[in-house]
Amino acid sequence: KKKNGKKSEASDQSVTSNSDKSSRSNRPFKSHSDDCDCDYADPSTQEFFDKATRIGMKLMTLGKVDDGAEYIAKVVVNIGSSACDHGDAVLSALEENLHPDHFALILQKLLSNTSSDAGEDSQLLALCSLRYINVLNQNEGAKSSNSESNQNSNKKKRKKIERPDSIPGDVWQQFYDLGRHVSDFVLDAFEVYETGDFASWDKNRMKTIVSSIDKKNSLEKRYKRTLVCEFVLVERLKEKDFFCCFFCQETFFHYKQALIHISCDEHEKKDKSCVLEGIRRVLNSFTDLPMKLRQVEIKNAVQITKCKHDLTPDQRPTPEFIANFYRKYISLVCIGEPMLTGDQKAARNVNPLLFEAETLIGRVKSDYGKNAMAELHEHIGNAQTCCRFCMCETGDREGFYNHMLGSLHRVAERHKMKSSTNTIRFCILTILVNVHRKDLI
């Protein structure tokens, strides 16, 4: 019995040793054991990482997903996985063993934990940024493939606008159908500007809508008609996340920016299509939006001129904050990376402008973008703010947001972005405010 017991113990030891060897053979850092002296070459460090990863995964399975991701991210940063190119092996091992959503959350934690301590060695930060871009692209590709099948069927299905209390029921009933036709015309025109398919545009459609105007109507009836048509149009324009201009290759994040751009002379020099004439004629015939927006632009221009002063480094957002913020969240606006899937490359080749806008909006609306907006909001606080693109003071936090939402700031930003050698076309602060603070419009 003793001999059999010793044999069984020996066999158990051999099994455990074989399992240890097989587990060590799957370690992502064994290739460095013979020719480097980094921390990951030490088996105890590898075992510590494996144990920490199991603890983090167990927390996730128990429902504590955020705590588990934070735990794994801190372990990766503390071990120093950027040495000897081990960071890529760590991320590959995590990606193979974790759910994609959990892996994306760990990347977010790594980006937030690494950016402040990266210093000169930013290898881990760069790896995390590229991996996170890849994860975002994969999610966006899946969403776009699911939505493309229903795009044509849902294109014309726009929700019915409910009557506000400020408009009487009889007035609403009389002019609602006209307002719906006007809004459909304007939205279809903007869709043509997005796709560039001007050949499919019906040239007689504008004449049909404008001919429905009764020139003998009294001023009171014209006022009621304008009130209903303008309300329906604005409510439907608010449903769109972005607007694109095919001629100027520009993207706008709310309807005021888009309408002001359509009415400006710079766009008219490039756009000689019949769509521009139709949309301007319909807007001027059924709404007062062009006149109202021009008045707002003149007021904003005067305000910016009055507030132009020498800016101080203490005004929020500070230059140091902007530099760190860009390094941390640069993946939100980085579109030209080579880590696109085949379907995404095909979509980009068909319509680069539309692909860029959809990708940007999807990233900014993600949890990663929400965290960036919350960090900006907390940094500004109750301090005085300024715009370092327009070189003007903007008052409190809400004044800063309103300035970022204005079209004059977008014009100044576009000119500076085009004059710089950087390939990034959008300011992170601007796109965050325009996507997350549309309630101030």
Side-chain angles (χ1 to χ4, degrees):
K1 291 183 179 178
K2 290 182 179 179
K3 291 181 179 179
N4 293 335
K6 291 179 180 179
K7 289 182 179 179
S8 61
E9 291 177 0
S11 62
D12 292 340
Q13 291 177 358
S14 63
V15 171
T16 54
S17 63
N18 292 332
S19 62
D20 291 339
K21 290 180 180 180
S22 62
S23 63
R24 290 182 183 180
S25 64
N26 294 327
R27 291 173 180 170
F29 315 109
K30 188 182 177 183
S31 59
H32 292 266
S33 299
D34 300 331
D35 53 0
C36 73
D37 297 327
C38 62
D39 292 337
Y40 269 113
D42 185 4
S44 63
T45 306
Q46 175 69 60
E47 291 171 2
F48 173 72
F49 173 73
D50 292 340
K51 183 178 179 181
T53 305
R54 288 195 296 269
I55 293 174
M57 294 174 66
K58 187 174 182 180
L59 288 173
M60 290 181 175
T61 56
L62 293 175
K64 301 179 180 180
V65 178
D66 192 74
D67 294 340
E70 183 73 26
Y71 184 82
I72 295 176
K74 287 183 178 179
V75 169
V76 173
V77 174
N78 292 334
I79 287 178
S81 59
S82 59
C84 295
D85 295 332
H86 288 149
D88 193 31
V90 169
L91 298 178
S92 297
L94 292 175
E95 187 174 11
E96 291 177 1
N97 298 320
L98 292 172
H99 189 275
D101 294 339
H102 295 170
F103 179 62
L105 183 58
I106 291 175
L107 289 177
Q108 292 183 23
K109 301 293 184 182
L110 282 171
L111 287 171
S112 60
N113 291 339
T114 308
S115 59
S116 59
D117 302 323
E120 296 179 355
D121 184 13
S122 58
Q123 182 181 2
L124 181 60
L125 179 62
L127 288 172
C128 292
S129 299
L130 291 175
R131 290 276 183 165
Y132 192 70
I133 289 171
N134 194 18
V135 171
L136 288 176
N137 289 335
Q138 290 175 357
N139 294 337
E140 290 157 6
K143 292 179 181 178
S144 60
S145 61
N146 292 332
S147 61
E148 282 176 0
S149 59
N150 298 327
Q151 184 177 4
N152 295 330
S153 59
N154 295 333
K155 187 175 179 181
K156 300 299 181 181
K157 292 182 180 180
R158 295 166 180 147
K159 71 175 186 178
K160 183 178 180 180
I161 306 300
E162 299 296 332
R163 180 181 67 86
D165 297 335
S166 57
I167 300 179
D170 57 338
V171 176
W172 180 263
Q173 186 175 3
Q174 183 178 2
F175 295 106
Y176 174 74
D177 289 339
L178 179 60
R180 182 169 54 82
H181 290 310
V182 170
S183 62
D184 287 340
F185 178 89
V186 176
L187 287 170
D188 291 342
F190 276 119
E191 288 179 0
V192 170
Y193 276 116
E194 291 176 3
T195 59
D197 186 14
F198 295 94
S200 62
W201 183 255
D202 186 4
K203 299 180 181 180
N204 298 322
R205 187 176 175 184
M206 180 266 294
K207 296 180 181 179
T208 303
I209 296 178
V210 175
S211 62
S212 63
I213 299 176
D214 188 359
K215 297 181 179 180
K216 297 181 180 180
N217 286 341
S218 60
L219 291 176
E220 182 181 1
K221 195 169 184 178
R222 292 179 187 175
Y223 169 77
K224 294 177 180 178
R225 181 190 66 203
T226 301
L227 186 66
V228 175
C229 292
E230 186 173 311
F231 180 83
V232 175
L233 175 61
V234 169
E235 290 300 312
R236 286 196 167 173
L237 288 174
K238 286 181 180 180
E239 298 176 10
K240 285 184 65 66
D241 291 330
F242 61 88
F243 300 84
C244 295
C245 177
F246 178 82
F247 291 100
C248 304
Q249 290 294 299
E250 297 293 345
T251 302
F252 308 96
F253 302 104
H254 58 81
Y255 74 94
K256 288 186 178 181
Q257 293 176 355
L259 293 178
I260 290 173
H261 176 76
I262 290 296
S263 60
C264 71
D265 296 334
E266 183 181 357
H267 172 78
E268 187 177 4
K269 293 177 183 178
K270 300 178 181 180
D271 184 3
K272 302 299 181 182
S273 66
C274 59
V275 182
L276 177 63
E277 179 187 358
I279 193 172
R280 285 185 174 182
R281 180 78 179 276
V282 170
L283 287 173
N284 290 320
S285 300
F286 295 95
T287 71
D288 293 332
L289 283 176
M291 180 183 65
K292 292 179 179 178
L293 294 176
R294 280 195 295 268
Q295 292 176 350
V296 172
E297 284 299 288
I298 294 173
K299 182 180 178 181
N300 292 339
V302 173
Q303 186 69 22
I304 291 175
T305 305
K306 287 182 178 180
C307 297
K308 279 189 176 291
H309 302 290
D310 294 333
L311 305 181
T312 63
D314 297 333
Q315 291 174 317
R316 305 292 178 87
T318 61
E320 294 79 7
F321 173 81
I322 294 176
N324 294 328
F325 196 80
Y326 263 73
R327 186 179 64 171
K328 183 176 179 180
Y329 294 106
I330 191 65
S331 59
L332 287 174
V333 294
C334 185
I335 305 296
E337 73 282 349
M339 300 181 64
L340 296 177
T341 63
D343 294 338
Q344 289 173 334
K345 289 181 180 179
R348 183 182 60 181
N349 295 334
V350 172
N351 194 332
L353 185 64
L354 188 60
F355 172 81
E356 179 186 58
E358 291 177 346
T359 305
L360 282 173
I361 296 297
R363 291 181 181 179
V364 175
K365 282 188 173 182
S366 66
D367 294 337
Y368 191 48
K370 292 178 182 177
N371 293 337
M373 184 63 202
E375 188 172 332
L376 173 64
H377 189 80
E378 183 179 359
H379 168 73
I380 295 176
N382 297 323
Q384 291 297 306
T385 64
C386 66
C387 176
R388 302 189 185 275
F389 271 104
C390 304
M391 299 301 294
C392 66
E393 297 176 348
T394 53
D396 57 1
R397 182 166 54 192
E398 186 171 340
F400 175 76
Y401 291 159
N402 285 322
H403 174 77
M404 288 286 184
L405 290 166
S407 60
L408 291 178
H409 169 76
R410 288 282 292 118
V411 172
E413 175 194 326
R414 287 201 304 273
H415 285 300
K416 288 198 174 183
M417 288 290 187
K418 289 180 180 179
S419 60
S420 66
T421 58
N422 197 344
T423 56
I424 297 175
R425 300 180 61 241
F426 294 93
C427 170
I428 299 179
L429 303 181
T430 303
I431 191 173
L432 283 173
V433 174
N434 276 266
V435 171
H436 290 290
R437 294 313 307 266
K438 286 186 178 182
D439 57 299
L440 298 176
I441 299 176

